[in-house]
Amino acid sequence: MFTGKALIAVKVMKPFGDWKGGDIVLVEDWKARELWEAGIVEVVDETDKVIGEIDKVIAEERESEPLTLLPEGLYERAEFYAYYLENYVRLNPRESVDTINVKLTKLANLKKKLRDLKLIRFNKILKAVMLRPNSLELLSRLAPEERRIYLQMSKIRNEWLGDV
């Protein structure tokens, strides 16, 4: 799930290696998860920032015909914060109702926006496969998760239709 392609801001709670308590550092998503679960760091909640990035990309996708280039690690950061919010709520049942409600609202909003983005991009990938299978130019604009879909669908299209 976590790939190490997304950098996550964390606040060090306990001294760890060269880090001192209170330091804010950027670590790969999988490291952030491990350190947070161990209680060494606290995740700096940047869900609103990621939602803003997704909103911006959705607007760009709706305005342009070709697929746009996504900010690096956007899907990975969105998946990390969805994991973080789900587990924060689960692991902190004594937290205030207001805090839990804020986290749950952010989680619902993040998941909805991410789904909307994926649907828009998936539809564009479908069109691209039909018109331009195996295009290196298109591949360069796709996130790694999308490249796999595009290449597999291009292969199926070419097996079915040939070079039409």
Side-chain angles (χ1 to χ4, degrees):
M1 179 178 185
F2 298 117
T3 62
K5 293 181 183 176
L7 293 177
I8 306 297
V10 295
K11 181 178 180 182
V12 179
M13 304 306 289
K14 300 176 183 177
F16 187 78
D18 293 339
W19 301 336
K20 298 172 187 71
D23 287 352
I24 295 182
V25 295
L26 290 174
V27 295
E28 294 170 323
D29 51 7
W30 67 271
K31 289 178 187 174
R33 176 185 175 171
E34 295 293 324
L35 293 169
W36 180 63
E37 288 177 354
I40 295 169
V41 300
E42 182 178 296
V43 173
V44 175
D45 188 350
E46 294 187 330
T47 307
D48 293 332
K49 179 181 173 185
V50 172
I51 290 171
E53 285 182 67
I54 292 171
D55 280 337
K56 183 180 175 192
V57 171
I58 287 172
E60 289 173 2
E61 286 295 335
R62 287 185 174 144
E63 291 175 12
S64 75
E65 185 55 36
L67 287 152
T68 60
L69 190 61
L70 292 178
E72 188 164 340
L74 181 61
Y75 286 137
E76 291 90 351
R77 283 183 286 128
E79 293 293 336
F80 176 84
Y81 286 110
Y83 150 82
Y84 163 71
L85 292 170
E86 286 172 349
N87 285 285
Y88 183 92
V89 169
R90 186 177 57 82
L91 298 172
N92 294 288
R94 294 191 180 105
E95 193 67 62
S96 75
V97 172
D98 290 341
T99 300
I100 296 297
N101 283 338
V102 166
K103 299 286 187 189
L104 288 173
T105 300
K106 283 183 180 184
L107 177 61
N109 194 16
L110 176 62
K111 284 184 171 185
K112 182 191 179 313
K113 302 277 184 179
L114 185 57
R115 179 165 168 70
D116 290 349
L117 175 60
K118 286 181 176 182
L119 281 171
I120 290 168
R121 298 219 17 125
F122 186 73
N123 284 325
K124 285 189 172 188
I125 290 169
L126 283 173
K127 290 178 187 172
V129 166
M130 188 59 206
L131 300 173
R132 297 176 61 197
N134 297 318
S135 165
L136 293 177
E137 178 191 351
L138 279 169
L139 276 171
S140 69
R141 288 190 239 147
L142 299 175
E145 303 89 334
E146 295 170 337
R147 283 186 197 120
R148 184 178 58 81
I149 293 166
Y150 176 74
L151 289 171
Q152 286 179 348
M153 290 171 48
S154 290
K155 179 182 176 197
I156 293 166
R157 178 232 181 252
N158 287 342
E159 286 172 359
W160 181 254
L161 296 176
D163 291 330
V164 176

